[in-house]
Amino acid sequence: MIAFVGGFGGFIAAKVIGIIRARPLSERLYWPVNDVGIAVDDINKGDIGYVKVRGGEYWRAKALESVKRGGSEVIVVGVDGDTLLVKPTG
């Protein structure tokens, strides 16, 4: 009976790991789309800089419209690879 339980547990673990690995990385991570953040850099339209979202996480961001640092709020509207796509909230 114990061998059956151990073997069954291993089978289940292998299936779960297979499912997790089969899903793309982007589906396994939580992207902060629709979150509001603060611009850390001045980012001209089409350029890349950094923004702070989720209360302090720094992310690379590409500006769809120019944003200014120093308290300018941005909204995350999408993701391109590992870079957030942002625009000003106002």
Side-chain angles (χ1 to χ4, degrees), residues 42-56:
D42 289 333
I43 312 171
N44 293 322
K45 182 178 179 177
D47 288 345
I48 294 185
Y50 284 87
V51 296
K52 197 165 41 168
V53 294
R54 295 188 195 152

Side-chain angles (χ1 to χ4, degrees), residues 32 34-40 51-55 57 71-76 86-89:
N34 295 324
D35 284 1
V36 175
I38 303 292
V40 175
V51 296
K52 197 165 41 168
V53 294
R54 295 188 195 152
E57 294 180 8
S72 294
E73 287 191 340
V74 295
I75 186 162
V76 180
V86 299
K87 65 180 186 176
T89 56

Side-chain angles (χ1 to χ4, degrees), residues 51-72:
V51 296
K52 197 165 41 168
V53 294
R54 295 188 195 152
E57 294 180 8
Y58 287 84
W59 289 72
R60 279 174 40 102
K62 181 176 182 179
L64 301 179
E65 299 173 23
S66 295
V67 297
K68 299 289 182 190
R69 70 173 179 224
S72 294

